[in-house]
Amino acid sequence: MKILVINGPNLNMLGIREPGIYGKSTYSDLVEMIKKRAEALGVQTEFFQSNHEGDIVDKIQAAYNDADGIIINPAAYTHTSIAILDALKAVAIPTVEVHISDISQREDFRKLSYVSLIAQKTICGKGFDGYLEALDYLSHRRVELRMV
Ligand code: CA2
């Protein structure tokens, strides 16, 4: 099973600024943490971070017939990008949306998420652990599908 982990704009800055909202750990810490859990679960992972909407759309399209699941934190594009929503709809790969912060408790403009319209599950406000929960969910979902 292969899971593609996509992070959107500015998440490469994790640990460098705004530790009060996003924590002190870096993007590489996040990747290492997910890799460790993936190894324990026997799941293959691929990581992609971009500050560019079209590059994220290209990556989602490239996942068609390649990835079995997508974990995505679209960052600010969560609240604006119909293009990312459409790409996820087009590839129809089981998707979990993750946000480090609780977007429901922040500014009003963060309350709308286009990706939530397609995601099987949305995890908010659990910090980096949200990505691990998403990985667990997608890998267990595979077991359930096998049993059907
Ligand atoms: O809580 C999340 O994970 C967000 O997706 C993060 C986005 C924000 O636009 C969403 O509303 C919620 C922002 C990511 C920016 O990350 C930074 C990290 C360190 C320093 C500055 C920004």
Side-chain angles (χ1 to χ4, degrees), residues 9-11 13-14 17-18 22 73 75-76 79 99-101 103 106 110:
N10 298 308
L11 287 164
M13 300 287 284
L14 283 169
R17 299 220 33 210
E18 300 202 57
Y22 302 116
N73 182 346
H79 320 295
H99 297 285
I100 297 167
S101 65
I103 53 174
R106 297 182 63 189
R110 294 187 204 273

Short mmCIF file of all heavy atoms in Angstrom, two decimals, residues 9-11 13-14 17-18 22 73 75-76 79 99-101 103 106 110, ligand 1:
data_model
loop_
_atom_site.label_atom_id
_atom_site.label_comp_id
_atom_site.label_asym_id
_atom_site.label_seq_id
_atom_site.Cartn_x
_atom_site.Cartn_y
_atom_site.Cartn_z
N PRO A 9 1.27 25.28 0.95
CA PRO A 9 2.16 26.43 1.11
C PRO A 9 2.52 26.78 2.55
O PRO A 9 1.67 26.75 3.44
CB PRO A 9 1.37 27.59 0.47
CG PRO A 9 0.00 27.09 0.25
CD PRO A 9 0.07 25.60 0.19
N ASN A 10 3.78 27.11 2.71
CA ASN A 10 4.38 27.58 3.97
C ASN A 10 4.62 26.50 5.01
O ASN A 10 5.24 26.77 6.03
CB ASN A 10 3.57 28.74 4.58
CG ASN A 10 3.52 29.93 3.67
OD1 ASN A 10 4.57 30.40 3.22
ND2 ASN A 10 2.33 30.41 3.34
N LEU A 11 4.15 25.29 4.75
CA LEU A 11 4.39 24.24 5.75
C LEU A 11 5.86 23.82 5.79
O LEU A 11 6.29 23.19 6.75
CB LEU A 11 3.44 23.05 5.52
CG LEU A 11 1.99 23.39 5.93
CD1 LEU A 11 0.99 22.39 5.37
CD2 LEU A 11 1.85 23.45 7.46
N MET A 13 7.92 25.91 6.42
CA MET A 13 8.41 26.85 7.44
C MET A 13 8.13 26.36 8.86
O MET A 13 8.42 27.06 9.83
CB MET A 13 7.73 28.21 7.27
CG MET A 13 7.95 28.88 5.94
SD MET A 13 9.62 29.52 5.80
CE MET A 13 9.48 30.98 6.82
N LEU A 14 7.56 25.18 8.97
CA LEU A 14 7.23 24.66 10.32
C LEU A 14 8.44 24.70 11.23
O LEU A 14 9.56 24.38 10.82
CB LEU A 14 6.74 23.20 10.22
CG LEU A 14 5.31 23.00 9.73
CD1 LEU A 14 5.06 21.52 9.44
CD2 LEU A 14 4.29 23.52 10.72
N ARG A 17 8.73 29.66 12.34
CA ARG A 17 7.93 30.78 12.83
C ARG A 17 6.61 30.26 13.38
O ARG A 17 6.23 29.13 13.13
CB ARG A 17 7.69 31.79 11.69
CG ARG A 17 8.97 32.35 11.16
CD ARG A 17 8.88 33.82 10.84
NE ARG A 17 7.98 34.54 11.73
CZ ARG A 17 7.29 35.62 11.36
NH1 ARG A 17 7.38 36.08 10.14
NH2 ARG A 17 6.53 36.26 12.21
N GLU A 18 5.90 31.11 14.10
CA GLU A 18 4.58 30.80 14.67
C GLU A 18 4.55 29.47 15.46
O GLU A 18 3.65 28.65 15.27
CB GLU A 18 3.52 30.77 13.56
CG GLU A 18 3.41 32.09 12.83
CD GLU A 18 2.05 32.25 12.13
OE1 GLU A 18 1.02 32.16 12.83
OE2 GLU A 18 2.05 32.47 10.92
N TYR A 22 1.72 26.35 15.36
CA TYR A 22 2.08 25.14 14.62
C TYR A 22 3.15 24.29 15.30
O TYR A 22 3.56 23.26 14.76
CB TYR A 22 2.54 25.53 13.19
CG TYR A 22 1.48 26.30 12.44
CD1 TYR A 22 1.67 27.62 12.04
CD2 TYR A 22 0.25 25.69 12.14
CE1 TYR A 22 0.68 28.33 11.37
CE2 TYR A 22 -0.74 26.39 11.47
CZ TYR A 22 -0.52 27.70 11.09
OH TYR A 22 -1.51 28.39 10.43
N ASN A 73 -2.61 18.17 3.70
CA ASN A 73 -2.84 19.43 4.41
C ASN A 73 -2.63 20.52 3.35
O ASN A 73 -1.50 20.90 3.06
CB ASN A 73 -1.85 19.59 5.56
CG ASN A 73 -2.12 20.89 6.33
OD1 ASN A 73 -2.86 21.76 5.86
ND2 ASN A 73 -1.51 21.02 7.49
N ALA A 75 -3.05 23.52 3.48
CA ALA A 75 -2.71 24.81 4.09
C ALA A 75 -3.69 25.88 3.61
O ALA A 75 -4.90 25.63 3.58
CB ALA A 75 -1.25 25.15 3.85
N ALA A 76 -3.21 27.05 3.19
CA ALA A 76 -4.14 28.14 2.84
C ALA A 76 -5.03 27.77 1.65
O ALA A 76 -6.15 28.29 1.52
CB ALA A 76 -3.35 29.41 2.53
N HIS A 79 -8.88 26.74 1.88
CA HIS A 79 -9.99 27.69 1.95
C HIS A 79 -10.29 28.37 0.61
O HIS A 79 -11.21 29.17 0.53
CB HIS A 79 -9.67 28.76 3.01
CG HIS A 79 -9.02 28.18 4.24
ND1 HIS A 79 -9.66 27.29 5.07
CD2 HIS A 79 -7.76 28.32 4.75
CE1 HIS A 79 -8.83 26.94 6.05
NE2 HIS A 79 -7.67 27.54 5.87
N HIS A 99 -5.27 19.12 9.41
CA HIS A 99 -4.82 20.47 9.78
C HIS A 99 -4.19 20.40 11.15
O HIS A 99 -4.76 19.80 12.07
CB HIS A 99 -5.98 21.47 9.78
CG HIS A 99 -6.57 21.61 8.41
ND1 HIS A 99 -5.94 22.32 7.42
CD2 HIS A 99 -7.68 21.08 7.87
CE1 HIS A 99 -6.65 22.23 6.33
NE2 HIS A 99 -7.71 21.48 6.55
N ILE A 100 -3.02 21.03 11.26
CA ILE A 100 -2.30 21.02 12.54
C ILE A 100 -3.10 21.79 13.59
O ILE A 100 -3.26 21.36 14.73
CB ILE A 100 -0.90 21.64 12.33
CG1 ILE A 100 -0.10 20.77 11.35
CG2 ILE A 100 -0.16 21.80 13.67
CD1 ILE A 100 1.17 21.42 10.82
N SER A 101 -3.62 22.94 13.19
CA SER A 101 -4.42 23.77 14.10
C SER A 101 -5.90 23.42 13.94
O SER A 101 -6.28 22.75 12.98
CB SER A 101 -4.18 25.25 13.80
OG SER A 101 -4.68 25.57 12.51
N ILE A 103 -8.98 24.61 12.68
CA ILE A 103 -9.45 25.70 11.80
C ILE A 103 -10.85 26.19 12.16
O ILE A 103 -11.22 27.30 11.80
CB ILE A 103 -9.36 25.32 10.29
CG1 ILE A 103 -10.06 24.00 9.99
CG2 ILE A 103 -7.91 25.27 9.83
CD1 ILE A 103 -10.11 23.66 8.49
N ARG A 106 -10.53 29.33 14.58
CA ARG A 106 -9.68 30.46 14.20
C ARG A 106 -10.50 31.50 13.44
O ARG A 106 -11.70 31.61 13.65
CB ARG A 106 -8.47 29.93 13.40
CG ARG A 106 -7.59 28.98 14.25
CD ARG A 106 -6.38 28.49 13.50
NE ARG A 106 -5.49 29.59 13.15
CZ ARG A 106 -4.44 29.46 12.34
NH1 ARG A 106 -4.16 28.28 11.81
NH2 ARG A 106 -3.69 30.50 12.06
N ARG A 110 -11.08 30.77 7.73
CA ARG A 110 -10.50 29.42 7.77
C ARG A 110 -11.57 28.35 8.00
O ARG A 110 -11.29 27.15 7.99
CB ARG A 110 -9.44 29.30 8.88
CG ARG A 110 -8.22 30.15 8.62
CD ARG A 110 -7.13 29.89 9.63
NE ARG A 110 -6.25 31.03 9.73
CZ ARG A 110 -5.17 31.24 8.95
NH1 ARG A 110 -4.85 30.37 8.02
NH2 ARG A 110 -4.44 32.32 9.10
O1 CA2 B 1 -3.59 24.23 10.65
C1 CA2 B 1 -3.16 23.92 9.55
O2 CA2 B 1 -2.52 22.89 9.34
C2 CA2 B 1 -3.36 24.88 8.37
O3 CA2 B 1 -3.64 24.09 7.22
C3 CA2 B 1 -2.06 25.65 8.22
C4 CA2 B 1 -2.12 26.72 7.17
C5 CA2 B 1 -3.35 27.62 7.35
O4 CA2 B 1 -3.44 28.52 6.26
C6 CA2 B 1 -4.62 26.81 7.45
O5 CA2 B 1 -5.69 27.70 7.68
C7 CA2 B 1 -4.54 25.82 8.58
C8 CA2 B 1 -0.88 27.61 7.24
C9 CA2 B 1 0.41 26.90 7.14
C10 CA2 B 1 1.49 27.88 7.41
O6 CA2 B 1 2.48 27.22 8.15
C11 CA2 B 1 3.41 28.00 8.77
C12 CA2 B 1 4.34 27.33 9.51
C13 CA2 B 1 5.29 28.02 10.17
C14 CA2 B 1 5.35 29.40 10.08
C15 CA2 B 1 4.43 30.05 9.33
C16 CA2 B 1 3.46 29.37 8.66
#
